[in-house]
């Protein structure tokens, strides 16, 4: 069975208007009374074209919490009581109503899916108990934790009592478990609501520009249902996951701390998208372990019923985010999940305490003894074979021999005379597995690794409390140990935060955003003191930004050289037409005057003058142009450099930046070596200077 995907469109907020709605719910059937199952959204590149996405269920903004629960979540209660695990998670960008869908409000009509799910579990449990006349007992226990900055924290524990590294994860029987997680029994719905509200106060939330109460972590509620009927016990689990929404920091305008949280949230959701894509393409490796959220969710590996609720915003300000969420949900619905019931546990009579093995490492081996000194005083017969001396001793073995060769007598079985313990024969069941068969090195390593993981998981689960501190230790030693632990935790947390800043700085630097990159490097510097490489990067970026500011703030200096600025085409025409009369002399009389006489406009023939060029054959003019070119370049004035032929504003800035590396330009070879100039550029500059000197 594939993952069941349900889409829900949230209502409009107060600041949103009806004309901005672009997401529509539709039905694939022509019958108007049928439930919608299609989401339509326009193509952002072509508004006349619509994209359609088909899901198992679609709920518009008028759908209530009760409608969503009765149609989608209530049918899974039967599977839960049959021994199947149920997973329910909400997905969507920030501000689409995921937490409202899962938790809901305080009123009865606004209750979310989690309180309604627990209410259904308690009702079904009471009915099962009543129908069996008390023979079946149903027990409910809950655990609640969050994944904040890729670290797991117990929500039943106050934030000031948390460790910096969080709770570790372990693998047990093919499932990921959180070591040290608190599990609270709750016998009624009222008791559950009290525990649930108390734990939600410890969840990490904050305000952003898009959401006043934005979830900064992924919250996972795990409800364990234990059904006991006589000697049979069946355990099933219902998991409700409220994922944090992906964020665009350009819209949320997050600060320093919110940026770190947003980077962690976006990373985990990106890894989830990678896992879904790898599963849909049937790749051999699925990157579950790259994020703790994907490792716990294990989408595609979990056994049972899985429902995904896709929350959507209907307005066009979320257009691209909504389209991305729809594409992700369209790939998720193709994932196949195995529906396998959990095996029941049968309780039998208590086993008698064993006395321990009679063979193996616990039995102390007997030393070598001479036959003449044994308790049976066995006689040694001479050997039949010549050349070999008679044996004066024998080697103790685990083999089940009852007599010695050549003695003709059996050992005395009296325990008073024979102090050795009775030997137990090895049966065929106690042989070493794999002995006699071909065992490769890889299979041995796999067996050893699996055994080690099972032992570590069992040991971690059995540890219910930390090792008590020795009472003999003085208070001073205990205080120093506590200070050392706090310093180590702070160091790990600080290093992780510093690495996050370095990653963001590299991303800004690749995009060419030097100012943002410098800011991220400066934020990471306190976390890595005495790091010369980081200090050199900061210094290089500061110098680069200082040069850019100096170039931008440099005043447009006037041309101080002796040559004239390049004339425009209009000026060239005026210079080439000096033979014509001036405008004042050639101006005709006004038509209103008495002496006005119309005359034909004289034809002005354009003079064709050849533009002089300077080659290596004219040394005098070339030397003057070279001297003028070197003077302009050494002035480092962008206004003068832009007057050169073939040089624009951008190229002038590049030339000025290259001139910062040399003190004085003295020869043309140095000009050719500048970035963006070359031999052709120098020739064009000289030709332009020679034409107008």
């Amino acid at each position: 069975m594939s993952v069941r995907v349900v889409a829900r469109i949230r209502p409009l907020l107060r600041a949103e208007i009806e004309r901005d709605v672009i997401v529509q719910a539709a039905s694939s059937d022509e019958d108007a009374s049928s439930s919608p199952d299609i989401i339509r959204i326009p193509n952002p590149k072509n508004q006349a074209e619509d994209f359609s996405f088909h899901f198992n269920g679609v709920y518009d903004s008028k759908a209530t919490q009760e409608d969503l629960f009765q149609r989608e979540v209530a049918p899974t209660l039967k599977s839960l009581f049959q021994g199947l695990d149920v997973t329910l998670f909400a997905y969507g960008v920030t501000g689409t109503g995921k937490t409202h869908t899962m938790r809901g409000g305080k009123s009865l009509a606004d209750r979310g899916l989690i309180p309604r799910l627990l209410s259904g579990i308690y009702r079904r449990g009471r009915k099962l108990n009543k129908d069996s006349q008390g023979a079946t007992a149903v027990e409910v226990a809950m655990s609640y934790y969050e994944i904040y900055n890729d670290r797991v924290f117990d929500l039943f524990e106050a934030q000031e009592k948390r460790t910096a590294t969080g709770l570790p994860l372990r693998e047990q029987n093919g499932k990921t478990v959180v070591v040290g997680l608190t599990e609270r029994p709750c016998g009624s719905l009222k008791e559950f609501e009290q525990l649930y509200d108390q734990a939600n106060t410890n969840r990490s939330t904050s305000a952003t520009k898009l959401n006043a109460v934005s979830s900064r972590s992924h919250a996972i509620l795990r409800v364990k249902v234990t059904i006991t009927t006589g000697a049979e016990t069946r355990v099933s689990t219902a998991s409700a996951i409220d994922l944090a929404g992906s964020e665009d920091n350009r819209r949320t305008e997050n600060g320093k701390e919110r940026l770190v949280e947003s980077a962690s949230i976006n990373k985990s959701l990106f890894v989830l998208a990678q896992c879904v894509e790898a599963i849909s393409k049937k790749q051999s490796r699925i990157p579950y372990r790259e994020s703790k959220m994907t490792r716990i969710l294990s989408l595609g590996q979990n056994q049972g019923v899985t429902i995904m609720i896709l929350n959507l915003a209907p307005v066009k300000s979320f257009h691209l985010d909504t389209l991305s969420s729809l594409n992700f949900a369209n790939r998720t619905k193709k994932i196949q999940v195995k529906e396998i019931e959990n095996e029941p546990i049968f309780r039998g009579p208590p086993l008698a305490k064993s006395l321990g093995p009679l063979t193996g490492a616990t039995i102390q081996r007997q030393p070598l003894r001479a036959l003449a000194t044994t308790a049976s005083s066995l006689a040694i017969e001479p050997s039949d074979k010549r050349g070999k001396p008679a044996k004066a001793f024998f080697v103790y073995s685990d083999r089940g021999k009852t007599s010695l060769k050549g003695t003709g007598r059996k050992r005395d079985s009296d325990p008073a005379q024979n102090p050795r313990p009775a030997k137990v024969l090895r049966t065929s069941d106690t042989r070493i597995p794999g002995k006699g068969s071909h065992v490769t090195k890889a299979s041995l390593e796999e067996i050893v690794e699996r055994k080690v993981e099972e032992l570590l998981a069992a040991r971690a689960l059995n540890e219910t409390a930390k090792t008590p501190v020795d009472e003999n230790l003085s208070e001073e030693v205990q205080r120093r140990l506590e200070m050392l632990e706090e310093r180590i935790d702070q160091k790990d947390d600080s290093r992780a935060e510093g690495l996050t800043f370095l990653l963001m700085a590299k991303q800004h630097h690749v995009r060419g955003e030097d100012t943002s990159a410098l800011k991220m490097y400066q934020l990471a510097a306190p976390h890595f003191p005495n790091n010369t490489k980081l200090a050199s990067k900061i210094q290089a970026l500061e110098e680069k930004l200082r040069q850019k500011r100096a170039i931008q703030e440099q005043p447009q200096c006037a041309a101080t050289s002796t040559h004239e600025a390049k004339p425009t085409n209009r000026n060239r025409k005026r210079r080439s037409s000096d033979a014509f009369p001036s405008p004042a002399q050639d101006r005709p009389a006004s038509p209103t005057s008495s002496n006005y006489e119309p005359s034909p406009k004289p034809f002005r023939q354009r003079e064709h003058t050849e533009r002089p060029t300077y080659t290596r054959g004219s040394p005098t003019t070339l030397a003057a142009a070279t001297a003028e070119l070197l003077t302009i370049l050494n002035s480092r004035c962008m206004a003068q450099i832009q007057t050169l032929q073939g040089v624009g504003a951008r190229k002038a800035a590049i030339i000025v930046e290259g001139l910062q590396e040399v003190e004085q330009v003295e020869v043309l070879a140095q000009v050719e070596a500048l970035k963006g100039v070359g031999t052709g550029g120098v020739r064009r500059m000289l030709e332009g200077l020679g034409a107008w000197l």
Side-chain angles (χ1 to χ4, degrees), residues 207-455:
T208 63
K209 188 177 179 181
L210 297 180
N211 194 353
V213 188
S214 176
S215 301
R216 315 308 298 167
S217 64
H218 309 295
I220 298 97
L221 174 67
R222 182 175 175 271
V223 180
K224 185 173 71 172
V225 181
T226 306
I227 305 172
T228 305
T229 305
E232 179 183 347
T233 301
R234 190 182 294 273
V235 179
S236 56
T237 304
S239 301
I241 305 172
D242 180 15
L243 297 178
S246 59
E247 295 182 346
D248 186 355
N249 293 321
R250 293 171 297 183
R251 298 175 60 193
T252 56
E253 298 181 1
N254 290 330
K256 172 185 173 182
E257 187 176 357
R258 302 287 87 79
L259 278 174
V260 176
E261 297 170 350
S262 177
S264 177
I265 293 171
N266 292 340
K267 176 192 172 184
S268 60
L269 295 175
F270 176 70
V271 174
L272 178 60
Q274 283 184 323
C275 293
V276 172
E277 185 176 2
I279 295 172
S280 62
K281 293 183 179 179
K282 297 182 179 180
Q283 297 179 0
S284 58
R285 180 184 177 275
I286 302 174
Y288 287 117
R289 289 182 171 268
E290 293 186 7
S291 174
K292 290 187 178 179
M293 186 266 289
T294 55
R295 187 177 174 187
I296 292 173
L297 184 58
S298 297
L299 195 61
Q301 286 189 343
N302 53 341
Q303 299 174 354
V305 181
T306 303
I307 301 176
M308 171 185 171
I309 299 177
L310 176 64
N311 293 86
L312 302 173
V315 292
K316 63 182 179 181
S317 58
F318 290 84
H319 196 165
L320 297 179
D321 294 330
T322 302
L323 196 59
S324 177
S325 300
L326 289 169
N327 288 324
F328 172 79
N330 195 41
R331 293 192 298 267
T332 304
K333 71 178 183 180
K334 301 176 183 178
I335 298 176
Q336 298 294 325
V337 180
K338 299 179 181 179
E339 292 189 0
I340 301 177
E341 297 180 1
N342 297 322
E343 296 182 359
I345 303 171
F346 295 95
R347 293 184 300 176
L351 299 176
K353 295 183 179 179
S354 60
L355 298 176
L358 297 177
T359 60
T362 59
I363 295 299
Q364 186 176 3
R365 295 300 181 103
Q366 298 293 332
L368 299 177
R369 299 182 290 183
L371 291 177
T373 60
T374 57
S376 59
S377 300
L378 300 177
I380 303 174
E381 294 183 358
S383 177
D384 295 338
K385 295 182 180 181
R386 297 178 181 179
K388 289 186 178 180
K391 293 182 179 180
F393 61 90
F394 70 93
V395 179
Y396 177 77
S397 170
D398 287 339
R399 296 180 181 177
K401 293 181 180 180
T402 58
S403 63
L404 295 176
K405 183 178 179 181
T407 59
R409 295 179 57 186
K410 294 183 178 180
R411 285 186 180 271
D412 192 356
S413 59
D414 189 1
Q417 296 179 1
N418 188 10
R420 297 182 184 177
K423 299 171 186 166
V424 180
L425 295 178
R426 290 184 180 178
T427 61
S428 59
D429 297 335
T430 59
R431 290 180 299 177
I432 300 174
K435 190 174 181 181
S437 60
H438 181 66
V439 181
T440 61
K441 184 179 179 180
S443 62
L444 284 176
E445 291 178 354
E446 183 180 358
I447 293 172
V448 172
E449 185 178 358
R450 185 170 64 251
K451 292 294 183 182
V452 169
E453 289 182 356
E454 291 177 359
L455 290 174

Side-chain angles (χ1 to χ4, degrees), residues 11-126:
L12 293 175
L13 303 179
R14 294 181 180 178
E16 298 170 348
I17 55 179
E18 187 71 26
R19 65 181 181 183
D20 290 339
V21 174
I22 58 174
V23 181
Q24 301 292 338
S27 176
S28 57
D29 298 334
E30 297 181 357
D31 188 5
S33 61
S34 60
S35 300
D37 55 356
I38 293 177
I39 291 289
R40 286 197 175 95
I41 184 172
N43 185 355
K45 296 182 179 179
N46 184 11
Q47 296 294 329
E49 179 185 3
D50 286 345
F51 291 143
S52 298
F53 297 88
H54 184 274
F55 298 114
N56 299 106
V58 174
Y59 296 87
D60 56 10
S61 58
K62 299 179 181 178
T64 62
Q65 300 273 56
E66 181 68 17
D67 296 337
L68 182 62
F69 174 77
Q70 292 296 337
R71 296 180 186 177
E72 304 298 336
V73 183
T76 63
L77 291 174
K78 182 179 179 181
S79 302
L80 181 66
F81 277 80
Q82 289 177 350
L84 288 170
D85 292 339
V86 176
T87 302
L88 178 69
F89 69 97
Y91 181 88
V93 299
T94 182
T96 54
K98 298 181 298 299
T99 304
H100 177 76
T101 300
M102 300 301 290
R103 289 170 53 183
K106 293 297 182 181
S107 63
L108 188 62
D110 289 340
R111 284 197 310 167
L113 298 183
I114 291 177
R116 294 175 187 271
L117 175 65
L118 267 294
S119 178
I121 291 175
Y122 286 118
R123 285 199 306 268
R124 196 175 187 89
R126 288 193 298 267

Side-chain angles (χ1 to χ4, degrees), residues 484-526:
L484 181 60
E485 291 178 356
E486 292 179 359
R487 188 181 304 172
I488 292 174
D489 293 341
Q490 291 176 1
K491 184 176 181 181
D492 293 341
D493 191 18
S494 176
R495 182 173 180 84
E497 187 176 1
L499 290 174
T500 304
F501 287 133
L502 287 178
L503 177 61
M504 297 173 66
K506 289 182 180 180
Q507 293 175 351
H508 286 300
H509 188 67
V510 169
R511 293 195 294 264
E513 302 170 356
D514 295 334
T515 305
S516 301
L518 177 61
K519 185 177 180 181
M520 291 296 105
Y521 278 129
Q522 290 175 348
L523 291 174

